[in-house]
Amino acid sequence: MTFRGTDTTALLTEWAMAELILHPTVQSKLRAEIDSVVGSAGTIGDADVAKMPYLQAVVKETLRAHPPGPLLSWARLSTDDIQLSNGMVVPAGTTAMVNMWAITHDSSIWTNPDKFDPTRFMVSEGGVNIDVRGGDLKLAQFGAGRRVCPGKNLGLVTVSLWIARLVQSFEWGPVDSDPVDLSEVLKLSLEMKKTLAAIATARNCV
Ligand code: HEM
């Protein structure tokens, strides 16, 4: 439980910060939303996350682009022959994994899937409000059904709070000699191949 909840939340935060450094306009827009809800020095609490649709959109878009758990249903066997809607049969005794990464990068499902664009989840900007907790298989980054991640709500609020506090307190920029590299490596979770390096400038020093 502890293992599943620590690397996933830390990695999702790292991916989000990497994207915010690569997309300064997204970072500024997020900071403006945070300031409008709690001010530049106010304490951000759980309840404030619900008032920050752009923050939620940034987290969803990071989950879509860089799912920490890209393969669902690791190490599970089908107990019976299962006929799929396309006619294929998954025989009993098969290990069948769901490649969520492939689904969230499929251009027949997502417009410009390689573009980091949180507005795709902003209803006020023409986007869609997709449930990321297992209610929509286009974006089931916590799995779905009986084996859905039991820590999904805790994970979402933890990552949202971390990102919000980091962005509220600091301006984040790249290290020129060590630029952001979005290459991925799949270990137990989907990690950044090269650890993120960043320059954090406290806002009251800007
Ligand atoms: C952003 C954070 C998180 C992500 C992206 C994530 C993602 C996932 C995914 C994809 C699965 C597998 C679902 C499947 O195979 O169908 C899973 C399972 C699991 N997660 Fe999470 N998780 C996160 C946070 C957490 C937290 C905070 C906890 C605990 C406090 C946790 C505990 C678990 C456990 C125990 C399982 C195994 C459930 C089972 O096999 O029945 N996760 N998670």
Side-chain angles (χ1 to χ4, degrees):
M1 191 85 165
T2 308
F3 163 74
R4 287 302 316 228
T6 46
D7 72 325
T8 46
T9 44
L11 290 170
L12 187 60
T13 306
E14 187 182 17
W15 282 115
M17 296 311 295
E19 292 287 7
L20 291 175
I21 289 166
L22 289 175
H23 299 89
T25 52
V26 174
Q27 189 184 147
S28 304
K29 186 169 167 177
L30 176 57
R31 188 171 294 108
E33 179 182 74
I34 295 164
D35 285 0
S36 74
V37 175
V38 293
S40 61
T43 305
I44 309 167
D46 303 9
D48 297 313
V49 173
K51 299 176 205 153
M52 298 182 188
Y54 195 64
L55 171 63
Q56 293 171 45
V58 166
V59 173
K60 279 186 190 176
E61 180 63 345
T62 309
L63 273 167
R64 185 197 66 77
H66 311 288
L71 298 173
L72 307 182
S73 306
W74 276 41
R76 282 176 219 158
L77 289 180
S78 57
T79 50
D80 296 299
D81 291 354
I82 307 286
Q83 173 125 31
L84 303 180
S85 56
N86 63 5
M88 287 173 70
V89 174
V90 179
T94 306
T95 302
M97 290 187 281
V98 176
N99 187 340
M100 209 59 231
W101 190 101
I103 294 171
T104 58
H105 291 80
D106 185 335
S107 57
S108 69
I109 300 173
W110 297 90
T111 310
N112 296 329
D114 295 330
K115 184 174 176 206
F116 185 80
D117 179 12
T119 60
R120 65 174 89 236
F121 297 114
M122 292 290 286
V123 176
S124 59
E125 296 181 46
V128 284
N129 183 17
I130 292 187
D131 174 22
V132 75
R133 296 175 163 90
D136 190 326
L137 296 179
K138 286 199 293 294
L139 193 66
Q141 313 306 57
F142 295 95
R146 279 194 297 181
R147 299 295 292 271
V148 70
C149 171
K152 58 188 191 292
N153 291 327
L154 178 62
L156 279 172
V157 81
T158 302
V159 172
S160 301
L161 280 176
W162 281 348
I163 296 171
R165 288 178 182 173
L166 289 171
V167 169
Q168 181 195 36
S169 303
F170 301 96
E171 306 258 1
W172 294 87
V175 178
D176 290 341
S177 59
D178 193 3
V180 177
D181 179 349
L182 294 180
S183 302
E184 302 168 330
V185 59
L186 182 57
K187 297 186 181 171
L188 282 170
S189 302
L190 188 73
E191 301 186 10
M192 294 189 78
K193 201 167 179 179
K194 194 162 81 57
T195 311
L196 179 65
I199 293 179
T201 308
R203 283 178 75 193
N204 56 11
C205 299
V206 176

